[in-house]
Amino acid sequence: MARSRARGADTTIGLAQGLGWFSLGLGMAQLLAPHAVSRSLGLRGQERLVASYGAREIVTGIGILASRDPTPWIWGRVAGDALDIGTLAGGLAMGRGRERSIAGLAIAAVAGITLLDVLCGRALSARKITERKRLAYDYSSRRGMPKPAAAMRGAASDFEVPRDFRIPEPLRPWGSVA
């Protein structure tokens, strides 16, 4: 059982790293050739937006590959995918003929990648919750007393407060006796 869990964690980390490399590749294409990418998606005039999306993909890819915990970066990819789908939907509405069909295919491709991102993010988040539960201490059986409550009653009745625990002389109210 533990071995299959470890294998599942390795698979999830492998998927996250694969998505990180995919982000780097896609980001480089969008950043280095924004005119070609925007023209092929029917987003003419949106070259700066496509290039900025490329920069976002590169940063996210580096974050996934460089961090010990890629979970927040994967969820960042999901948010970026939502932006991408919204932008492509705008291109779908403005496009005509062949551009519309290409934008529709692009939306389908991004939706597929989004599904992978969501599945990976959920698996990584579940792994973090499981690790937190495993590392948490269980204090439910403790009560903080060495003996039962009945045996502890009156145990400190002969306790005398040490002089240095009392209110210092200059702070005592007038007329109080120590």
Side-chain angles (χ1 to χ4, degrees):
M1 175 96 171
R3 178 171 268 172
S4 68
R5 249 190 248 147
R7 203 174 317 127
D10 291 343
T11 303
T12 304
I13 293 295
L15 175 60
Q17 289 177 343
L19 290 169
W21 286 111
F22 177 76
S23 281
L24 284 176
L26 179 61
M28 293 297 281
Q30 289 175 327
L31 195 61
L32 296 175
H35 294 285
V37 172
S38 58
R39 190 174 48 245
S40 68
L41 295 175
L43 297 172
R44 293 180 194 272
Q46 302 294 324
E47 289 80 11
R48 283 187 179 168
L49 182 65
V50 169
S52 67
Y53 284 3
R56 180 201 72 218
E57 288 286 348
I58 290 171
V59 169
T60 305
I62 290 171
I64 290 169
L65 294 171
S67 70
R68 277 187 280 159
D69 178 19
T71 309
W73 296 100
I74 293 293
W75 287 117
R77 273 192 51 80
V78 172
D81 291 344
L83 284 173
D84 294 342
I85 289 172
T87 303
L88 289 167
L92 184 68
M94 292 186 321
R96 48 187 130 57
R98 185 171 183 269
E99 288 178 346
R100 278 181 75 100
S101 62
I102 291 174
L105 287 173
I107 289 173
V110 173
I113 293 294
T114 303
L115 178 64
L116 276 178
D117 290 340
V118 168
L119 292 174
C120 184
R122 288 185 65 187
L124 288 170
S125 295
R127 192 175 117 233
K128 281 175 68 170
I129 291 169
T130 304
E131 284 177 11
R132 271 194 227 125
K133 284 182 181 176
R134 186 176 47 84
L135 297 175
Y137 294 107
D138 180 23
Y139 293 109
S140 63
S141 65
R142 298 184 181 186
R143 63 179 183 274
M145 306 275 196
K147 297 177 185 172
M152 296 295 291
R153 284 197 183 87
S157 62
D158 60 342
F159 178 75
E160 189 173 322
V161 179
R163 185 122 181 96
D164 60 334
F165 278 26
R166 297 182 192 157
I167 300 173
E169 288 289 332
L171 298 177
R172 286 195 189 141
W174 290 98
S176 78
V177 179

